[in-house]
Amino acid sequence: MPADFLVEIGTEELPPKALKKLSESFDRSIRDGLSTIGLNYSATKAYATPRRLAVLVSSLDEKQQDQHIEKLGPAVQAAFDKEGKPTKAAEGFARSNNTSVDQLEQLETDKGLRLAFRTVQPGKTAREELPAIIETALNSLPIPKRMRWGNKKVAFVRPIHWIVMLFGNTVVKGSIYGIASSNNTYGHRFHHPEAISLNSPDDYEQALKQAYVIADFKQRSDLIQQKVTEEGLTLGGKAEITNELLEEVCALVEWPVALAGRFEESFLQVPAEALISSMKEHQKYFHVIDANGQLLPNFITVANIESKDPAQVINGNERVIRPRLSDAAFFFETDKKSTLEEKCSKLENVVFQKELGSVYDKTLRVAKLATNIAQQIGGNEKYTRRAALLCKADLVTEMVYEFADLQGIMASHYARFDGETEEVALALNEQYLP
């Protein structure tokens, strides 16, 4: 009888940027393994949280189909001598199939009458095959650097603490990476650290939800998006949610709780892109904008715990973000002490390519080429040359050194501060556009 099968690998916190890819690969490898050995199933569903990778296989066959094996041997004429005794060819064929010559059949083929060996190989049970399939799937995960833990010789992306393998209501006995399988999973690290005994794979999702874990990645992601959006509206603005940040935050929490915090309005004098980059990259915060698209002095963080005193959590996050934004403000003020043109001289010390000189040399070549193109298309040669000469100046600024994704963006801000024309400022930013 087909039954559902659940496998869960419980680990230390998995790398957030890789979690979704690891989950998809684990699911795909299990499907490939089942198909390879002929175990049929109706569907699979992958689960992923910071502390677990799991796959639910629906209606999995209890055993493989029996295999009808047929092997052709030597021609009958060559298998027996004139007296009808088996030749070495016949005996060797029988021996290779662990049988005797008198147990072989004679089969008419397009190449004449030949000896044949026929048998039925009983299919193996799913319980026999599953541990090897799971271990193979884990070994094939896209992990650039594996780690060891304790005194174990095995290596994985993070230390493994428990393994669930449940076929119907029966535990699939096996040991993977030296850890014995069971039907015990674990809930949220703080809200429900106790073991949870699963009676069947169908219990999995609901049992974890009662233990403060939303195992379904998509469901958890949708919930985060909903909660962050609601917090943004409560603040009188709109929370900006990018897929990249949403996916990373989803990979950091098992029980998401959205909380809104605030920072000093004085920081808004710093270019919004720098503040947003600091909030996103360092703290994984969502920023909030008003109806005009202007940044508000607020942020939304997603906690992995339902605190009895949320105000303390918010206060802690506000204390953490303040020095980050202070750094951005300091970098901005420091960079403004010299113009982009003055910064260009520092590019002479930045090697572009050994045979091609410095980055400054490169800007001179770009300026010459760009001016020539401007002549041919009727563009403004003066603005074109000016933008080309300044195009890499922000690479030596404090801000871009700290936030590499702001190159070009900060150049345009500094150009406006220096009194460059708007056309030049725009060109500095647009050089990085597709």
Side-chain angles (χ1 to χ4, degrees):
M1 277 289 289
D4 293 342
F5 169 67
L6 172 72
V7 56
E8 182 193 54
I9 312 299
T11 68
E12 290 288 340
E13 276 70 10
L14 294 160
K17 291 186 178 180
L19 180 62
K20 194 173 182 182
K21 187 183 293 185
L22 290 172
S23 174
E24 291 169 350
S25 176
F26 191 39
D27 179 38
R28 184 170 56 251
S29 295
I30 288 175
R31 284 188 274 113
D32 290 345
L34 294 172
S35 299
T36 298
I37 65 169
L39 281 172
N40 299 316
Y41 59 92
S42 62
T44 64
K45 182 175 181 180
Y47 296 94
T49 80
R51 298 176 66 213
R52 71 200 76 227
L53 293 173
V55 175
L56 175 66
V57 184
S58 300
S59 300
L60 178 64
D61 282 351
E62 191 171 9
K63 66 186 288 290
Q64 297 170 311
Q65 296 292 322
D66 293 344
Q67 287 185 295
H68 293 269
I69 298 172
E70 180 180 285
K71 295 180 181 179
L72 293 177
V76 171
Q77 189 176 358
F80 299 95
D81 60 20
K82 292 178 181 179
E83 297 174 359
K85 294 180 179 180
T87 62
K88 288 185 177 181
E91 291 175 344
F93 178 65
R95 193 163 50 249
S96 69
N97 289 292
N98 296 315
T99 188
S100 58
V101 175
D102 60 347
Q103 295 296 314
L104 297 174
E105 300 179 34
Q106 295 186 11
L107 188 67
E108 189 65 56
T109 71
D110 57 352
K111 294 182 179 179
L113 196 62
R114 298 176 66 177
L115 286 184
F117 171 73
R118 286 177 170 176
T119 188
V120 176
Q121 181 176 302
K124 291 183 178 180
T125 66
R127 293 179 182 85
E128 291 177 89
E129 296 291 310
L130 285 167
I133 290 174
I134 301 306
E135 188 156 6
T136 299
L138 292 173
N139 288 335
S140 65
L141 290 182
I143 304 170
K145 194 172 184 180
R146 294 172 180 258
M147 64 179 292
R148 291 184 172 85
W149 61 96
N151 58 359
K152 298 179 184 294
K153 292 184 179 180
V154 297
F156 193 57
V157 60
R158 290 292 185 270
I160 298 175
H161 291 298
W162 74 87
I163 292 176
V164 172
M165 287 198 292
L166 195 58
F167 186 75
N169 57 5
T170 306
V171 173
V172 177
K173 295 296 182 183
S175 177
I176 297 175
Y177 293 163
I179 298 173
S181 59
S182 72
N183 64 331
N184 289 333
T185 184
Y186 292 83
H188 191 281
R189 186 183 287 279
F190 304 113
H191 287 308
H192 196 294
E194 302 84 12
I196 305 165
S197 293
L198 300 171
N199 296 318
S200 75
D202 292 340
D203 296 341
Y204 182 68
E205 201 168 332
Q206 190 57 36
L208 282 182
K209 195 168 185 179
Q210 291 174 357
Y212 292 84
V213 175
I214 299 174
D216 188 308
F217 193 96
K218 175 74 164 55
Q219 184 183 342
R220 200 166 65 252
S221 176
D222 289 345
L223 182 61
I224 292 170
Q225 187 162 18
Q226 175 194 329
K227 289 188 172 187
V228 170
T229 300
E230 289 171 355
E231 287 295 329
L233 293 173
T234 301
L235 292 168
K238 176 190 174 188
E240 288 287 279
I241 304 173
T242 62
N243 289 334
E244 183 182 15
L245 182 58
L246 178 62
E247 185 175 306
E248 188 172 358
V249 170
C250 185
L252 286 166
V253 299
E254 291 191 318
W255 191 255
V257 177
L259 301 169
R262 182 177 178 81
F263 57 85
E264 289 82 352
E265 288 192 32
S266 59
F267 286 123
L268 295 178
Q269 296 174 17
V270 178
E273 295 91 343
L275 301 179
I276 292 168
S277 183
S278 184
M279 286 189 279
K280 282 176 62 176
E281 295 303 316
H282 293 301
Q283 303 304 131
K284 314 306 173 189
Y285 293 164
F286 297 92
H287 65 281
V288 185
I289 58 173
D290 63 18
N292 298 317
Q294 299 300 307
L295 184 66
L296 291 175
N298 300 97
F299 63 87
I300 300 169
T301 183
V302 179
N304 187 34
I305 192 169
E306 205 167 275
S307 175
K308 295 177 182 177
D309 189 0
Q312 289 294 330
V313 180
I314 294 170
N315 185 47
N317 279 276
E318 289 176 342
R319 285 203 310 272
V320 170
I321 193 61
R322 196 170 291 117
R324 295 289 188 186
L325 300 184
S326 295
D327 286 345
F330 173 77
F331 297 147
F332 184 55
E333 292 302 321
T334 300
D335 290 338
K336 289 195 299 180
K337 291 178 180 178
S338 60
T339 64
L340 284 178
E341 186 173 11
E342 290 170 337
K343 291 179 176 67
C344 284
S345 60
K346 293 183 180 180
L347 295 174
E348 295 179 18
N349 299 319
V350 181
V351 175
F352 169 55
Q353 209 277 342
K354 188 177 178 182
E355 286 78 19
L356 297 175
S358 66
V359 174
Y360 180 72
D361 297 327
K362 176 184 177 179
T363 61
L364 295 179
R365 290 193 294 271
V366 171
K368 187 174 181 180
L369 289 166
T371 304
N372 184 269
I373 293 171
Q375 288 173 348
Q376 297 182 51
I377 64 173
N380 188 307
E381 296 175 39
K382 180 182 176 183
Y383 292 165
T384 301
R385 178 173 175 77
R386 184 64 175 169
L389 288 172
L390 300 177
C391 69
K392 302 301 177 187
D394 70 339
L395 296 182
V396 292
T397 62
E398 297 288 339
M399 190 72 85
V400 172
Y401 183 81
E402 182 69 17
F403 305 106
D405 59 319
L406 296 182
Q407 55 187 327
I409 295 172
M410 292 312 303
S412 63
H413 282 292
Y414 294 141
R416 292 187 183 97
F417 181 78
D418 293 346
E420 302 287 347
T421 63
E422 183 61 20
E423 290 84 352
V424 169
L426 281 174
L428 295 177
N429 185 11
E430 292 177 354
Q431 65 174 308
Y432 290 99
L433 299 181

